[in-house]
Amino acid sequence: MRISELADATGVPTPTIKWYLREGLLPRGTVTARNQAQYDESHVRRLRLIRALVDVGGLSTQQVRDILTLVDDPSTPLPETVGAAHWALARPSETTPSAESLALADRYLQRRGWQVHPASPARVELAGLIELQRAVDPDPAGTTDSVLQGLDRYADAVEALAATEISEVPDDAPAESVVEFIVLGTVIAERTIASLRRLAQESMYLQANGAAPASDA
Amino acid sequence: MRISELADATGVPTPTIKWYLREGLLPRGTVTARNQAQYDESHVRRLRLIRALVDVGGLSTQQVRDILTLVDDPSTPLPETVGAAHWALARPSETTPSAESLALADRYLQRRGWQVHPASPARVELAGLIELQRAVDPDPAGTTDSVLQGLDRYADAVEALAATEISEVPDDAPAESVVEFIVLGTVIAERTIASLRRLAQESMYLQANGAAPASDA
C-alpha cells in the first residue's frame, strides 16, 4: 500500500508517518518508483504499537526507540526480554526508597512467592510506594503490617489477571510478538484498569449520594 | 516546628519547601520572628500530598495547584468533588475517540450499571482504550463483543477494590479529607496495581522458563 493508504488504515496522519520514518521508528517501505514506496501489514502493526506507546503510554520518542530496539532484537532470552520491556516502560523516579522499604518490598514478594530480578524497576517502585503509603498512613501503630496486608487485595486481583493475560500468548509466538504483546498489554491494561477504577468510584459516589440516574450515561 | 524540622519530618529538602511556599502550593507558616516562621501538622500533611502528586502521580505544578484548590474548597458537593478530583488527575489526550467508540463505552457502562457524568474524563479515556484495543486486536471477527467481554475481568477486579476503598472513608470525614483520600488513593493505588501486575508477570515468566529461584529477591 502507499503512504496515504497506510495513513487511512491506521488513522495516523501522513506527516506523522513521515516523521516516524525520518526518526527511524518506522522501517522504510520498498521503493517502487521515484518518490514512491510500498508499505505492508508489518508497517500497520508497527504504527499501532507506536501510537499505543505515545498516546496511551505517554512515552517520549527516545523511550519508544528503546522499546522498538528491544522488540526487534531476537537474541535476548524471553524472561529477560519481559523484564527489559518493563524496564523500558518504567518511569524514572526522582527519589530512591530507603533500604528498609526495599527490605519490606522483598519480604512482601517472598510472602507472595514472586521471584523477580533484584534490579527489576517494578520492585524498586513497589518499595517507594510502600514508603509513601507508610508516610501518609494516619495510623502510626502497626503501620508496616497493615500496609503489607493492604497490598494483598491488589496483589490477589493482579495475580489472577496476569495469569489470564500470559495464558493468551500463543506458545509458539515469536519473541517479537511476545514483547509487543507485553508492551501493548502493559500500556493498555494499566490505563484500562485505572479508567475502570475511576468510573466504578464515580458511580458509587453518585449512587451513595442519591443522585438521579443519568439517562444519557 | 521550624522549616528545617519540617524538612526532617517529611524528607522534602528545605529549598524545595521554600519553592512550594513561593509557588503558593504550601501555605505560609506563622511568622514568629524576623526571617522565622513556625509550621505545624497541616504543613506536614500538605507536603506529603504534594510529594505524592509530583513523585508518584507525575503531575505538573499547575495540575498540583488545580488539585489543591479543589481540596481547599469546601463548597462543592461530594460527588462533583470526586469527579473533579478525577478530572484534575486525568491526563490530556491528544486524540478524540470516535462517536462509535463513545457509544461502545456507554453501552459497557450501562451493562455494568455504572452511572457517571457524560463529561467524565475516565469515560472518554475508556472509549479511547476500546478504540485502540479494537485496532490492535488480531481477530477481526466479533471484535466488538470480545473487547467488551475482555473489559469484564478488569471491571470485576476494580469494582470490588473500589467498594473496599470507599468503605474506608469515614462517614463524618470533612470534604477536604475525602478529596485528599481520593487523590492520594487514586495516585498510589493505580501505581501500586501497575507495579504488582508487572511483578506478577515477571515472576510468572521466570518460573515458566525454568529460571533458578533468585535467593536475593
Side-chain angles (χ1 to χ4, degrees):
Chain A
M1 67 189 86
R2 295 165 64 167
I3 197 164
S4 57
E5 293 164 312
L6 183 60
D8 288 344
T10 57
V12 182
T14 304
T16 309
I17 296 178
K18 287 186 175 166
W19 189 73
Y20 291 152
L21 287 167
R22 276 200 304 277
E23 289 287 312
L25 298 184
L26 189 69
R28 305 246 158 219
T30 315
V31 177
T32 51
R34 198 174 136 82
N35 285 329
Q36 233 187 67
Q38 284 291 317
Y39 301 89
D40 58 27
E41 270 308 308
S42 72
H43 293 91
V44 174
R45 275 181 59 197
R46 176 55 51 100
L47 266 179
R48 282 178 183 151
L49 180 58
I50 296 173
R51 203 196 137 207
L53 296 172
V54 173
D55 284 1
V56 187
L59 301 191
S60 69
T61 305
Q62 188 52 50
Q63 284 175 305
V64 173
R65 204 191 313 275
D66 290 348
I67 288 177
L68 294 178
T69 306
L70 195 71
V71 168
D72 293 333
D73 178 8
S75 69
T76 326
L78 194 54
E80 283 170 41
T81 312
V82 174
H86 285 166
W87 183 282
L89 284 172
R91 298 191 307 172
S93 173
E94 281 161 31
T95 49
T96 312
S98 66
E100 191 194 348
S101 301
L102 279 169
L104 280 173
D106 287 340
R107 200 170 107 194
Y108 189 72
L109 289 173
Q110 210 151 30
R111 191 166 117 185
R112 299 290 316 187
W114 293 356
Q115 292 157 10
V116 301
H117 196 281
S120 163
R123 168 181 170 263
V124 178
E125 190 177 46
L126 180 64
L129 288 162
I130 289 174
E131 192 164 304
L132 183 64
Q133 188 65 60
R134 290 176 76 201
V136 298
D137 201 313
D139 177 20
T143 303
T144 305
D145 279 337
S146 72
V147 167
L148 294 189
Q149 273 164 28
L151 290 177
D152 274 336
R153 57 182 176 195
Y154 297 124
D156 290 342
V158 296
E159 199 166 45
L161 288 177
T164 318
E165 288 165 340
I166 285 180
S167 70
E168 285 166 3
V169 186
D171 281 342
D172 55 349
E176 183 195 317
S177 314
V178 176
V179 176
E180 214 178 293
F181 179 89
I182 289 160
V183 167
L184 263 184
T186 294
V187 166
I188 298 182
E190 287 178 5
R191 291 309 308 158
T192 303
I193 294 169
S195 297
L196 289 170
R197 180 182 164 282
R198 293 181 188 197
L199 289 166
Q201 273 207 357
E202 285 177 30
S203 169
M204 284 175 197
Y205 269 103
L206 268 177
Q207 285 170 8
N209 287 273
S215 58
D216 50 350
Chain B
M1 66 189 89
R2 294 164 64 169
I3 197 164
S4 56
E5 294 164 312
L6 184 59
D8 287 344
T10 57
V12 181
T14 304
T16 309
I17 296 178
K18 287 187 176 165
W19 189 73
Y20 290 154
L21 286 167
R22 276 200 304 276
E23 289 286 313
L25 298 184
L26 189 68
R28 305 246 159 219
T30 315
V31 177
T32 51
R34 199 175 133 84
N35 284 329
Q36 234 188 67
Q38 284 291 318
Y39 301 90
D40 57 26
E41 270 307 308
S42 71
H43 293 91
V44 174
R45 275 181 59 199
R46 175 54 53 99
L47 267 178
R48 282 178 184 152
L49 180 58
I50 295 173
R51 204 196 137 207
L53 295 173
V54 173
D55 284 2
V56 187
L59 301 191
S60 69
T61 306
Q62 187 53 49
Q63 284 175 305
V64 173
R65 204 192 311 276
D66 291 347
I67 288 177
L68 294 178
T69 306
L70 195 71
V71 167
D72 295 333
D73 178 9
S75 70
T76 326
L78 195 54
E80 283 170 41
T81 312
V82 175
H86 285 165
W87 182 282
L89 285 172
R91 298 192 307 173
S93 173
E94 282 162 29
T95 49
T96 312
S98 66
E100 190 193 350
S101 301
L102 279 170
L104 280 173
D106 287 340
R107 200 171 107 194
Y108 189 72
L109 290 173
Q110 209 152 31
R111 192 166 115 185
R112 299 291 315 187
W114 293 356
Q115 292 156 12
V116 301
H117 196 281
S120 163
R123 168 181 170 263
V124 178
E125 191 178 45
L126 180 64
L129 288 161
I130 289 174
E131 192 164 305
L132 183 63
Q133 189 64 59
R134 290 177 76 201
V136 299
D137 200 313
D139 176 20
T143 304
T144 305
D145 279 338
S146 72
V147 168
L148 294 190
Q149 273 165 28
L151 290 176
D152 274 336
R153 57 182 177 195
Y154 297 124
D156 290 344
V158 296
E159 199 166 45
L161 288 177
T164 319
E165 288 165 340
I166 285 181
S167 70
E168 285 167 2
V169 186
D171 279 343
D172 56 351
E176 184 195 318
S177 314
V178 175
V179 177
E180 216 177 292
F181 179 90
I182 289 160
V183 166
L184 264 183
T186 294
V187 166
I188 298 181
E190 287 178 5
R191 290 310 308 159
T192 303
I193 293 169
S195 296
L196 290 171
R197 180 182 164 282
R198 292 180 189 198
L199 290 166
Q201 273 207 356
E202 286 177 30
S203 169
M204 284 175 197
Y205 269 103
L206 268 178
Q207 285 171 7
N209 287 271
S215 59
D216 51 349

